[in-house]
Amino acid sequence: MLERIKNHIREFWFSYLLSSLAIYFITIRGSYTFLDFIDLLIHEPGHLIFSLFGEFIQFLGGTLMQIILPLSMAIIFFIRGNKYWTQVFLFWLGHNFINISVYVDDANKMKLRIIGGAHDWNWILNRIGFIEYAEEIALVFVGMAIVSFLFMFFIPYFMREYDKIDLV
């Protein structure tokens, strides 16, 4: 029995560490942290990159970049069999979903300081006629954060018998 507990701790210690941080970030949702600054550095270039696909996608581009970058890195590290980096990027994805939820929630309140002029989610939700549902849409992003954090927690279980696949 003691050996099973030791093996569990050995296998899941990083999950517990990152889950503690995830709970912290969920409970302080809306407070600005250093990770939010990093998210912003990823968000803003997304507008430039996605501007090639029209105005609507340009406004959505910052959010898309916040999702695509950590998700693609998590997938790459999962395929390579590196559970720790997979967990780090799933954690970051979850944090980005929390960050996005705050931005979406502010779409009809307009209290956040905005870099570059327009409020992306105010513009997007007004454009599609869902501005009155900003708070509910924000909660969907919180739910996506929780799902991300749950996947992050269980990565050691999913990768328990995982053989590294060399795709290159």
Side-chain angles (χ1 to χ4, degrees), residues 17-167:
L17 175 69
L18 290 179
S19 294
S20 299
L21 288 172
I23 291 167
Y24 170 75
F25 283 117
I26 289 170
T27 59
I28 67 158
R29 180 178 165 258
S31 300
Y32 192 81
T33 67
F34 177 72
L35 278 180
D36 294 307
F37 174 72
I38 294 171
D39 296 342
L40 184 63
L41 292 177
I42 301 306
H43 177 97
E44 290 305 323
H47 294 298
L48 180 62
I49 293 166
F50 286 98
S51 67
L52 301 169
F53 304 104
E55 189 178 38
F56 186 82
I57 299 298
Q58 178 183 359
F59 272 92
L60 200 53
T63 298
L64 289 174
M65 189 63 101
Q66 282 185 258
I67 296 168
I68 291 169
L69 184 65
L71 180 59
S72 62
M73 295 304 293
I75 291 169
I76 288 167
F77 282 110
F78 182 81
I79 290 169
R80 292 182 177 248
N82 188 317
K83 71 178 177 182
Y84 296 117
W85 281 110
T86 302
Q87 287 181 288
V88 166
F89 283 104
L90 284 174
F91 171 81
W92 188 24
L93 177 64
H95 183 274
N96 273 321
F97 281 134
I98 291 170
N99 181 281
I100 294 164
S101 78
V102 171
Y103 199 16
V104 173
D105 189 48
D106 186 61
N108 54 8
K109 298 171 185 151
M110 302 289 288
K111 293 186 178 184
L112 292 176
R113 286 186 298 160
I114 303 299
I115 294 176
H119 190 296
D120 302 342
W121 280 97
N122 178 277
W123 188 91
I124 292 166
L125 294 177
N126 270 312
R127 183 76 178 241
I128 62 175
F130 283 9
I131 191 68
E132 64 270 10
Y133 302 109
E135 291 173 12
E136 291 82 359
I137 295 168
L139 290 176
V140 170
F141 281 106
V142 172
M144 291 166 68
I146 291 168
V147 168
S148 219
F149 292 142
L150 286 171
F151 272 111
M152 174 213 63
F153 183 85
F154 287 107
I155 282 296
Y157 176 78
F158 297 139
M159 297 180 80
R160 184 174 283 158
E161 301 296 326
Y162 190 81
D163 290 324
K164 292 182 183 179
I165 299 173
D166 193 8
L167 296 178

